[in-house]
Amino acid sequence: MISDLNANEPTGPLENRWTRHRFDMALVNPANRKKYRVIVVGTGLAGGSAAATLGEMGYRVKSFCFQDSPRRAHSIAAQGGINAAKNYQNDGDSIWRLFYDTIKGGDFRSRESNVYRLAEISVNIIDQAVAQGVPFAREYSGLLANRSFGGAQVSRTFYARGQTGQQLLLGAYQALNRQVAAGTVTLHPRTEMLELIVIDGRARGIVTRNLVDGSIESHTADCVVLCTGGYGNAYYLSTNAKGCNTSAAWRAHRHGALFANPCFTQIHPTCIPQSGTYQSKLTLMSESLRNDGRVWAPLHTDDSEADPATLPHDRRDYFLERRYPAFGNLVPRDIASRAAKEVCDQGHGVGPEVNGRRLGVYLDFSEAIEQMGEARIRERYGNLFEMYERITGESPYTTPMRIYPAIHYAMGGLWVDYNLMTSIDGLFATGECNFSDHGANRLGASALMQGLADGYFVVPYSVGNYLARHEPNSVPGDHAAVNSAVTAVRDRIERLLNAPDPQHPPEYFHRKLGQILWDNCGMTRDPVALREALARIPPLREQFWREVKVTGSGETFNQTLERAGRIADFMELGELMCIDALDRNESCGSHARTDHVTDEGEARRDDENYSYVAAWEFSGDTSSPNLHREQLRFEFVHPSVRSYK
Amino acid sequence: MNLTLHVWRQADSDARGDFETFKISDVSPDMSFLEMLDVLNEGLISEGSEPVAFDHDCREGICGACSLVINGVPHGPQKATTTCQLYMREFDDGQAVWIEPWRVGAFPVVRDLVVDRSAFDRILQAGGYVSVRTGAAPDGNTLPVPKDVADRAFTSATCIGCGACAAACPSSSASLFVAAKISHLGLLPQGQVERNSRVRMMLAQMDGEGFGHCSNHAECQSACPKEIDIGRIARMNRDLYRSFVRRT
Ligand SMILES: Cc1cc2nc3c(=O)[nH]c(=O)nc-3n(C[C@H](O)[C@H](O)[C@H](O)COP(=O)(O)OP(=O)(O)OC[C@H]3O[C@@H](n4cnc5c(N)ncnc54)[C@H](O)[C@@H]3O)c2cc1C
Ligand code: FES
């Protein structure tokens, strides 16, 4: 196979690569830094930390987010924790082990150099956060506490009760505020990036819409950093915040930035099932629940409405324990999710019927309560049980919880090299919006780690290295490329506001797209279903542009218009996700192709033919993108087969 | 169930606002309050009208975006619950529901139920941080922090910056919000160096933004979805007095 992408990875011993690479980087003289302007789009863990650090280094930074405050970026919602190879528990953890676990967890579809750097930097993140005043959980000794997370065999996860993302983001937001006070960063909240400005092949700015008064503005700079999060909301229902979207990344893609592995989307097994067609999002329940709860579904399909508290044991199917005796209820996310889907597809689901289907299985704590007492369970899961009861009106102390998998995270994203630069010169991508570190599946507590590693410790260096090679200069406000980007934005808004035959609100189309993606490119995929999706998405997209109904004007606060624009981009990305899933003729990580399974029904990877990153180039026609491949080389770990039997 | 909604409509910060009444039927008790508004809005769009604007994002009670006064109470009737985590089973069939934005002078209305809370950002920019450079941090375990102190700092740090405290306060004070940050950082060893200047600068900024002063009504703590208690305000006041007599 021909690899036609250069990741600009350093070579040599893995543990020296990042140190050596940093030494090889060019530096900008501190006195010259204020002459350079940097645009950072996004204020989540990745963007907040990058903007703060770049500002502190002396660059002039503009920071953008669509929420009313940087503090509300979606990172705020992360619950479980953040990994770091500190080995504070003396249980045999090390940078190598975290590196190895991440490569293996990603099912050997990520780049060794990047992942090793991530593991190496992980320890600095914790130090940084502690110094900022992030109140991590502590032991009675006053030292930092850890827990084991997502099936890891070591306790390397740092946490702040169930609010780790919130506390880390507030740390980054505080660092950002400090720079705003120092005058190095200017904030642009309620401002959405709608177009990228590319001049002579270099990213030189963005076009934004002020969400309060609708004004369209251009912002130019010496380089642009996108930290705009993941695209899980393509599926409509996901655990992501309602505003999460792909628009910034997709605009960049349309300008030539390659989009890597779009079909790698992660499912989280323990979410609260949908209760009706009006459902707007899904709520994650911490994975830790599987430590004490037992997962089951009725053995007989006619027991779907039977009282779960009294259904005799011989009429229950503890399907995870049955199929995976060694790991039982603690099998990895993707395996637990698929098993639940299969059970429900066979008619054993429980809970309310939505669109003719019951999508839910039980997570039962009755035995744990019997054995350990309600007090112990309350101590461990009290706040989660409360949240569940608030949402469903049912108490998990007396009736088993109902759970169902939901889309949770996007491993795919903009292709970046080792410097986190996309295939557009001067355009960087960090955090969930790039594809870099998690391969085909992400380990729990590793997204927060990656966002902060990228933002505090990688991109500030690589941006400096890039700028050092370019003279600071400004783009005239009336440059042709600026004008044409502004015009493109205005035209698109006009089209959204004036569809020829306005019939339905934007959500109508988003739900339809989401259903297609979830059914055909969700937990399991097969060529027939993917081809069907590919036949249905383009007409849906045409219907969207013909019939979308957006009331109000472009010159005011207009949330319908905002959503319509984001959905329009999901309509294109959704097709690419299916194209990628169809192209990848193997099962790996989150990508479970039912036509690529072992005799025992487990996922079968094809290292010979698919050990590559699929990086798609926009060709002008959404339906026929060009494929570029980055061949993955494993010099330090040997690809093995996962087994949880 | 069926409900009568009286919703505050206001075109922009300069316009005069008023209530508009909507009848909504077939509301499921399992819907969230915001999902009920979604249904209302999709109906409005379908009939060609402009939907009701409201802030929201995570819908999990953590981002602090949602901000409705429901029947006179910030975040509505359920204790320790943000608007997005409020479910329709808390309401009765046939009930009238009044929905308004935060009413705080320092939070001008942007549109309908959306307000501008950037004053909160500016208060934090005035000193709500620890001045540490990226990369300049000692090992995380260099400085042990007693568990009870760390836990108390955490409880203060759970503030989501929603503004319900100011909306509930008869004097529109942001004291609970400011005090939460002062306590969070002031309890931890990392926050000691800037403790004196922080409390002064943040309170000066709060004043400058036009928020009132604490009048000991304690409405803020009952409205706070994270149940942050007014003990923090006492602590903040102590820190302020302390800052006049002690250097560090
Ligand atoms: C419920 C939940 C729980 C999770 N728990 C964990 C966990 O325990 N551990 C873990 O490691 N990971 C967890 N994750 C994953 C993790 O939270 C995310 O991957 C991570 O926070 C993403 O950070 P980010 O900075 O890349 O993006 P985000 O935090 O999503 O930030 C995106 C930013 O970009 C801005 N933006 C986007 N588009 C535009 C645009 N067009 N114009 C202007 N601004 C724009 C937004 O305003 C926002 O500021 C969880 C995820 C979910 C959904
Ligand atoms: S929408 Fe995030 S707290 Fe309510």
Side-chain angles (χ1 to χ4, degrees), chain B residues 79 165 176 218-225 227-231:
Chain B
K79 213 178 143 33
C165 47
L176 191 63
E219 292 290 335
C220 53
Q221 79 173 3
S222 39
C224 177
E227 301 188 287
I228 295 174
D229 70 89
I230 51 164

Side-chain angles (χ1 to χ4, degrees), chain B residues 34 56-66 82-84 160:
Chain B
L34 298 186
H56 67 101
D57 198 20
C58 73
R59 298 202 176 190
E60 287 192 10
I62 192 75
C63 75
C66 61
T82 54
T83 304
C84 60
I160 57 175

Side-chain angles (χ1 to χ4, degrees), chain B residues 19-214:
Chain B
F19 286 99
E20 185 174 352
T21 301
F22 303 99
K23 298 265 181 215
I24 179 162
S25 47
D26 296 331
V27 174
S28 154
D30 290 328
M31 271 181 187
S32 73
F33 195 84
L34 298 186
E35 283 168 348
M36 184 271 295
L37 289 181
D38 290 342
V39 171
L40 172 75
N41 277 345
E42 285 193 44
L44 289 173
I45 298 169
S46 296
E47 67 187 39
S49 316
E50 291 190 44
V52 177
F54 61 90
D55 258 328
H56 67 101
D57 198 20
C58 73
R59 298 202 176 190
E60 287 192 10
I62 192 75
C63 75
C66 61
S67 41
L68 305 182
V69 175
I70 301 166
N71 288 341
V73 184
H75 289 310
Q78 200 175 6
K79 213 178 143 33
T81 303
T82 54
T83 304
C84 60
Q85 291 285 284
L86 180 64
Y87 279 72
M88 294 315 292
R89 63 181 80 86
E90 302 299 320
F91 295 83
D92 300 322
D93 187 27
Q95 197 180 337
V97 184
W98 294 80
I99 310 173
E100 298 169 74
W102 286 170
R103 304 282 190 192
V104 177
F107 292 158
V109 170
V110 170
R111 186 183 176 87
D112 296 344
L113 304 170
V114 176
V115 297
D116 176 354
R117 286 171 285 192
S118 53
F120 269 13
D121 289 322
R122 290 189 294 273
I123 292 175
L124 293 177
Q125 285 153 17
Y129 45 76
V130 174
S131 296
V132 54
R133 273 183 176 282
T134 302
D139 183 87
N141 261 348
T142 309
L143 211 55
V145 182
K147 185 171 170 6
D148 60 320
V149 174
D151 286 349
R152 269 191 294 150
F154 171 82
T155 318
S156 306
T158 55
C159 168
I160 57 175
C162 63
C165 47
C169 177
S171 333
S172 292
S173 174
S175 289
L176 191 63
F177 168 77
V178 178
K181 187 51 67 186
I182 299 285
S183 285
H184 160 209
L185 297 177
L187 279 161
L188 293 171
Q190 289 83 4
Q192 295 311 310
V193 175
E194 292 159 302
R195 189 166 158 190
N196 286 346
S197 56
R198 179 180 307 120
V199 66
R200 290 193 198 182
M201 296 195 301
M202 287 178 67
L203 281 173
Q205 188 70 31
M206 174 179 109
D207 243 17
E209 295 288 348
F211 290 101
H213 278 262
C214 176

